Amino acid sequence: MSDIYETVIGLEVHVQLSTRTKAFCGCSTAFGAEANTQVCPVCLGLPGVLPVYNKKAFEYALKVAMALECDIQKTVKFDRKNYYYPDLPKNYQISQYDMPLAYNGKITIEDEEEGSIDIGITRAHLEEDAGKLMHDEQQAFSYVDLNRTGTPLLEIVSEPDIRSPEQAYEYLKALKQTIKYLDVSDCNMEEGSLRCDANVSLRRKGSEKFGSKVEIKNLNSFKAVRDALVFEQLRQEEALEEQEKVIQQTRLWNEQKNVTEPMRTKEEAQDYRYFPDPDLVPFEVAPEVLERVRQSMPELPRRRKERFVNQYRLSEKDVEVLTSEKPLADFYEAVVSEYNDPQAVCNWVKGEIMMHIKDRPKGIEDLGLKPGHLASIIEMSKKGKISGLAAKEVLRENLDSGKDPEMIVKEKGLEQVSDKGELESIVVKVIEQNEKSVNDYRGGKENALSYLVGQVMRQTKGKANPKLAGEMLRKKITG
Ligand SMILES: [Zn+2]
């Protein structure tokens, strides 16, 4: 990026609220069902039906609004957004126009150079999702699956406060992390639970006026958002350098070619003929509801990170990993409450546990590991009852069978030999059998000793206390 221009980015994110039923009817929202099996007269918009807003979806949206420090609209009003929608049989979408549920919020992101910065949230409003068109190349017509029609969405619109593709990436990361902490959406981009459109324009540094805005759609991963913005930033900069006009348009991200391509030119704003939905009576948000939701708010990622650093004396880097997801942070704290060595528990969770949760769809929940069990493994290892190697084996066995770790140690005879008498004869044998290494060590080669310790470990099938074995060997050799 040159020093002449400044990039201005705003993001629109659609989050599917993870209610079991749709926004205005009782149809299931489960993903992956056979086409058109989760529909009813309400979500199909048949005449004579009355929609009723889903209370759960409303509370979920309130949670997000509070987490984003938004002001909350006192009276909730729904509007109809009229348009010809091939995937929405009503031909209008229930949305919120001039009175969004939440507005004027913010979220803090980390910028590599500037540190923490706040990105404004213009608004967050409730709406329903549309269906899905399926095109078959062999046939002259398309199919429509209306299972998704009427699924509750929260659209979150940022202020044009984002100044680089990297910041856009961080914004999405922070937003997703917050929403996942609230447990109101799985934010799964592959299944469409989180969708993002980006607006990007360039302007001369110091200018207050915005340049022509390009909207990018078809972004189905955070990486795609970043890559598309990098491409678009460069494309617009080149156009401006050549004195060309940047056309205000909608472009699609082509992931294969790594370019954005024009979709349609927006001559003027689409006229959606919004009007208040006469079927949905405006209602006041009851103070009790607000209070209940406020009470149910979890500690959010940023607060939790700060607390972890202060309370457990861990490094920022460690805390970043531990608080990346709420269930993992909860698990960590549960283990520490059973065995109060925050750093040791952190090392285990970051190392061994992360290795075991890798590639699992849900993470720590899928592991079935009891915090008390891990606490007991760490304690046995710290106290020298089992070796580090044995501790890892106990964990593996515990994950397979769920058996109590102390029982596993007993059954497998993994108790570490810390008894000098028991080790004496083995140490003597190892010294006799490894004359060369013994001489090397005498000659000053420090690592010859670790080889000899390794031999003791081998002969005891990993049960010897390596520290003790090392001390005994050294004493005997240099004696
Ligand atoms: Zn329905």
Side-chain angles (χ1 to χ4, degrees):
M1 221 15 220
S2 78
D3 290 337
I4 309 168
Y5 300 105
E6 177 178 56
T7 308
V8 178
I9 298 167
L11 296 177
E12 283 174 26
V13 173
H14 281 90
V15 179
Q16 182 182 323
L17 300 171
S18 56
T19 52
R20 282 189 298 112
T21 56
K22 293 187 181 178
F24 302 103
C25 62
C27 289
S28 167
T29 54
F31 180 81
E34 201 184 319
N36 298 310
T37 54
Q38 292 167 177
V39 292
C40 74
V42 175
C43 55
L44 290 177
L46 298 183
V49 296
L50 278 180
V52 178
Y53 197 69
N54 187 329
K55 264 191 195 155
K56 199 99 219 171
F58 187 71
E59 293 195 7
Y60 282 0
L62 283 178
K63 274 191 170 183
V64 178
M66 286 179 191
L68 299 178
E69 298 173 44
C70 289
D71 294 329
I72 290 162
Q73 198 76 251
K74 291 193 175 58
T75 304
V76 174
K77 185 186 102 175
F78 287 100
D79 302 278
R80 290 185 178 181
K81 184 179 178 182
N82 294 275
Y83 190 62
Y84 177 71
Y85 294 98
D87 48 5
L88 208 55
K90 292 198 291 269
N91 267 343
Y92 62 81
Q93 179 191 28
I94 303 177
S95 183
Q96 294 190 294
Y97 181 48
D98 52 343
M99 290 167 62
L101 174 73
Y103 52 97
N104 199 19
K106 71 173 168 69
I107 190 163
T108 309
I109 64 162
E110 295 304 322
D111 182 87
E112 235 174 44
E113 281 154 28
E114 294 177 48
S116 299
I117 42 177
D118 288 344
I119 305 295
I121 304 290
T122 316
R123 57 185 280 155
H125 68 254
L126 297 160
E127 59 184 33
E128 59 177 337
D129 207 351
K132 212 170 87 190
L133 292 174
M134 290 172 295
H135 309 287
D136 185 339
E137 306 255 309
Q138 308 301 316
Q139 298 186 296
F141 49 87
S142 292
Y143 297 94
V144 64
D145 174 10
L146 298 170
N147 280 352
R148 213 175 61 188
T149 311
T151 300
L153 297 181
L154 187 68
E155 179 173 338
I156 301 165
V157 182
S158 85
E159 288 285 299
D161 287 346
I162 300 165
R163 289 290 167 270
S164 68
E166 205 48 52
Q167 284 185 8
Y169 188 88
E170 289 300 319
Y171 171 86
L172 289 172
K173 235 175 71 184
L175 193 62
K176 178 177 171 174
Q177 192 186 37
T178 301
I179 292 169
K180 287 205 72 169
Y181 257 69
L182 298 170
D183 202 18
V184 298
S185 171
D186 59 22
C187 295
N188 187 334
M189 273 189 121
E190 287 82 49
E191 295 181 5
S193 317
L194 191 143
R195 280 168 266 161
C196 174
D197 298 332
N199 289 307
V200 52
S201 63
L202 259 56
R203 66 178 171 193
R204 277 198 174 263
K205 275 212 172 133
S207 163
E208 288 291 310
K209 224 180 120 228
F210 291 118
S212 298
K213 185 171 77 176
V214 165
E215 186 181 19
I216 318 172
K217 289 186 177 286
N218 213 21
L219 300 163
N220 50 22
S221 69
F222 288 7
K223 188 181 169 292
V225 174
R226 186 170 52 189
D227 292 350
L229 286 168
V230 167
F231 174 85
E232 196 54 32
Q233 185 175 261
L234 208 67
R235 187 187 72 85
Q236 292 185 23
E237 189 187 351
E238 278 171 12
L240 292 172
E241 288 286 290
E242 301 288 320
Q243 314 280 327
E244 282 168 26
K245 199 170 173 279
V246 174
I247 309 162
Q248 179 172 335
Q249 61 182 179
T250 300
R251 296 174 74 90
L252 295 176
W253 174 240
N254 184 327
E255 197 149 29
Q256 276 78 46
K257 295 195 208 150
N258 234 31
V259 297
T260 64
E261 294 163 339
M263 184 167 101
R264 57 171 183 255
T265 307
K266 263 192 186 165
E267 297 292 342
E268 52 199 314
Q270 211 42 264
D271 180 14
Y272 288 114
R273 293 178 295 120
Y274 278 99
F275 63 81
D277 192 309
D279 290 342
L280 286 154
V281 189
F283 61 91
E284 306 269 316
V285 186
E288 309 88 86
V289 174
L290 285 177
E291 192 46 39
R292 192 175 65 236
V293 173
R294 211 176 295 281
Q295 296 289 341
S296 74
M297 291 290 281
E299 186 181 32
L300 293 167
R302 289 190 75 81
R303 285 275 312 272
R304 198 160 198 183
K305 262 181 232 165
E306 279 170 25
R307 182 169 63 78
F308 270 35
V309 170
N310 294 330
Q311 185 175 345
Y312 301 123
R313 304 280 154 209
L314 300 170
S315 74
E316 298 255 352
K317 241 183 162 171
D318 283 347
V319 169
E320 196 70 39
V321 178
L322 296 178
T323 59
S324 58
E325 292 193 5
K326 184 171 180 288
L328 190 66
D330 290 344
F331 178 81
Y332 171 78
E333 295 212 90
V335 180
V336 172
S337 76
E338 304 239 8
Y339 182 65
N340 190 16
D341 186 337
Q343 189 62 56
V345 176
C346 168
N347 296 345
W348 269 83
V349 171
K350 269 187 71 181
E352 228 33 37
I353 303 301
M354 288 306 270
M355 189 192 79
H356 285 289
I357 37 185
K358 234 176 125 204
D359 306 325
R360 269 164 220 267
K362 282 207 205 119
I364 187 78
E365 306 103 298
D366 273 4
L367 213 53
L369 176 61
K370 289 198 181 114
H373 281 174
L374 180 60
S376 129
I377 294 171
I378 300 174
E379 188 174 4
M380 286 190 284
S381 159
K382 281 288 254 190
K383 285 190 173 157
K385 193 178 172 192
I386 51 176
S387 69
L389 214 65
K392 288 176 186 175
E393 192 183 334
V394 174
L395 175 66
R396 266 195 302 276
E397 172 73 26
N398 172 271
L399 293 177
D400 286 343
S401 66
K403 258 190 206 164
D404 186 84
E406 285 187 35
M407 192 91 97
I408 296 170
V409 170
K410 243 182 229 145
E411 280 178 7
K412 294 198 141 192
L414 289 169
E415 253 171 81
Q416 184 160 263
V417 180
S418 295
D419 184 89
K420 277 192 183 176
E422 272 184 68
L423 286 182
E424 178 81 20
S425 61
I426 298 162
V427 167
V428 170
K429 212 164 91 191
V430 165
I431 290 175
E432 282 169 8
Q433 288 168 344
N434 295 278
E435 209 176 316
K436 189 178 172 297
S437 300
V438 171
N439 286 331
D440 283 351
Y441 182 66
R442 282 210 180 97
K445 274 195 186 165
E446 267 298 317
N447 55 3
L449 188 70
S450 12
Y451 174 79
L452 293 169
V453 172
Q455 293 306 306
V456 174
M457 297 306 288
R458 241 178 86 180
Q459 300 219 6
T460 56
K461 294 199 177 94
K463 287 194 281 180
N465 180 333
K467 206 169 146 233
L468 182 64
E471 278 166 18
M472 290 173 72
L473 282 162
R474 192 181 313 123
K475 236 183 208 166
K476 280 226 153 19
I477 296 170
T478 59

